[in-house]
Amino acid sequence: MRKRNLKYDRNIDVSAYDVAKDLNPGFDDAPASARMRRRRSDTDPGPRSRGRMTEEARARLAAEREAAATDDGPPTGYRWTTWDDPGGQGPEPYPSWLVTDLAAVDTEFGVLKTGKEADVFLIERGVPATDGTNGTDDTNGTDGTDGTGNRCLLASKRYRSADHRLFHRDAGYLEGRRSRRTRDQRAVENRTNFGRNLIAQQWAVAEFDALSQLWTAGLPVPYPVQHLGTELLMEFVGSADGQAAPRLAQLRPEPDQLADLWRQLHDALVLLGRNGYAHGDLSAYNLLVNDGELILIDLPQLVDVVTNPQGQDFLRRDVKRICEWFVARGTDPDVADADRLAEEVLEEAGAS
């Protein structure tokens, strides 16, 4: 004979809780999830109320959290090295001067350059002293590092937020760069805040990729260390004491130096064309001169002269602008001939 279900049997005037209690003497000691729900009587204790923290307890908790954050933070500087953070790292083999120690600290020393699209900061990456000294004696130097030369200077290029960034003429440069996600592509095309942030990341990634490719190809560009979202870390071009190398536009070179700089520029543009690219925004302000060596900088808008419909126009504009600068400083116009140089670069690129 099948047992009747007492809980749902309307012919029996008894609660399921009382039946379960009679059949199981230890029922009240069972976990709450194992007992059937019952109505709380007036004599039963009410639920425990949650009290508020006192000001003293709140202050103590805040102090404990701050102490924990301090204990886990870098001993000097403003952040641990970002070398192991997610993001692209520069091409291998890594330069011998680059600090990759995960115990290193990145210390910021101010702005090197401000621009419409990004600001560039000076960063020192070094391993803090571990002998208890403050890093101010002859052994440790003045940088707080361990005195073994395990330090390097980096340039941190940070593309600005959507509220302050002004990417000029970016439509032509972004030609052919499309996102795999239609939502992202639509945001970029409509220039929403989200889309402008995506553009900032695209510029950072584009410059990192360009530097990586050109560095590998042997062009005179800063070594790309790493990109992190809208931040690009690269080799600092300048002296060991943090003095940035001057731009070409700041110089008044003597004839011999001018001729040597023109030769370096010619070779760099030809090699750039051999790899299929034009700088896209070349001028005397985007060239550094470090100990007589010409360095190309500001390359987020690197243009493919073959696949970009405006590629050849960008190249001719680059060449015309820089040739005018050299001619104005005394270079023979027949030597700094913009049309001839542009055709030579296009021929190297296979686009003539």
Side-chain angles (χ1 to χ4, degrees):
M1 181 177 179
R2 192 171 62 180
K3 295 182 180 179
R4 289 184 297 179
N5 189 331
L6 298 180
K7 182 177 180 181
Y8 297 104
D9 195 333
R10 298 181 180 179
N11 296 324
I12 299 179
D13 186 15
V14 64
S15 70
Y17 175 80
D18 292 335
V19 173
K21 183 177 179 181
D22 293 339
L23 296 177
N24 300 279
F27 183 77
D28 279 336
D29 298 329
S33 59
R35 300 197 302 266
M36 297 181 181
R37 187 183 301 274
R38 67 182 178 91
R39 184 182 299 274
R40 183 171 61 86
S41 69
D42 294 337
T43 59
D44 290 336
R48 181 183 304 173
S49 61
R50 299 178 61 184
R52 296 182 178 179
M53 292 181 64
T54 64
E55 291 297 329
E56 181 182 358
R58 186 180 292 109
R60 184 171 62 253
L61 179 60
E64 291 175 355
R65 287 176 175 172
E66 183 178 357
T70 302
D71 291 342
D72 193 44
T76 60
Y78 82 109
R79 70 181 183 186
W80 291 114
T81 176
T82 59
W83 181 249
D84 62 338
D85 288 0
Q89 294 176 334
E92 298 185 36
Y94 303 133
S96 59
W97 55 262
L98 179 61
V99 176
T100 60
D101 194 319
L102 299 185
V105 170
D106 290 350
T107 305
E108 182 179 315
F109 286 107
V111 179
L112 289 172
K113 172 189 173 185
T114 60
K116 293 180 179 180
E117 295 87 11
D119 296 324
V120 181
F121 297 81
L122 177 64
I123 300 291
E124 181 187 74
R125 174 171 293 177
V127 179
T130 58
D131 57 1
T133 61
N134 58 12
T136 58
D137 59 356
D138 294 338
T139 302
N140 288 333
T142 60
D143 52 18
T145 57
D146 58 6
T148 62
N150 197 13
R151 59 183 291 270
C152 66
L153 293 176
L154 304 175
S156 171
K157 187 172 185 178
R158 301 169 189 171
Y159 286 91
R160 293 181 177 177
S161 66
D163 294 335
H164 302 286
R165 189 174 57 254
L166 175 62
F167 286 118
H168 60 295
R169 305 187 305 275
D170 63 357
Y173 295 119
L174 295 174
E175 187 80 32
R177 298 185 198 171
R178 300 192 63 84
S179 173
R180 296 180 181 179
R181 299 175 58 182
T182 57
R183 174 177 175 269
D184 293 351
Q185 184 63 33
R186 187 163 56 249
V188 168
E189 292 172 353
N190 294 334
R191 296 302 192 272
T192 64
N193 284 344
F194 175 66
R196 290 198 297 267
N197 281 324
L198 287 178
I199 292 175
Q201 294 185 33
Q202 287 183 9
W203 283 99
V205 172
E207 183 163 17
F208 175 81
D209 290 343
L211 288 173
S212 297
Q213 185 170 352
L214 298 183
W215 170 271
T216 303
L219 273 96
V221 297
Y223 176 78
V225 175
Q226 191 175 19
H227 77 79
L228 301 161
T230 59
E231 180 183 14
L232 171 64
L233 287 172
M234 56 188 143
E235 175 186 2
F236 169 73
V237 181
S239 61
D241 62 357
Q243 184 68 36
R247 301 174 188 174
L248 178 62
Q250 298 174 269
L251 302 181
R252 296 294 181 268
E254 298 294 330
D256 290 344
Q257 184 186 14
L258 186 68
D260 183 60
L261 291 173
W262 169 257
R263 178 190 59 77
Q264 293 184 53
L265 175 68
H266 173 274
D267 293 347
L269 292 181
V270 169
L271 184 54
L272 193 62
R274 191 173 300 159
N275 285 270
Y277 295 110
H279 185 286
D281 193 26
L282 185 63
S283 73
Y285 292 93
N286 289 336
L287 292 166
L288 300 180
V289 180
N290 187 40
D291 291 335
E293 182 181 0
L294 200 68
I295 308 293
L296 282 70
I297 62 171
D298 291 339
L299 290 154
Q301 70 290 314
L302 192 71
V303 177
D304 191 314
V305 296
V306 177
T307 62
N308 190 313
Q310 303 180 52
Q312 295 192 25
D313 294 335
F314 281 123
L315 170 63
R316 294 186 185 279
R317 187 188 66 186
D318 283 353
V319 172
K320 180 176 183 296
R321 184 187 296 163
I322 198 62
C323 283
E324 288 176 348
W325 188 91
F326 273 90
V327 170
R329 300 306 184 278
T331 303
D332 190 330
D334 291 334
V335 173
D337 186 307
D339 291 335
R340 186 171 62 215
L341 179 56
E343 291 301 323
E344 185 177 356
V345 174
L346 287 173
E347 183 177 356
E348 289 289 338
S352 60

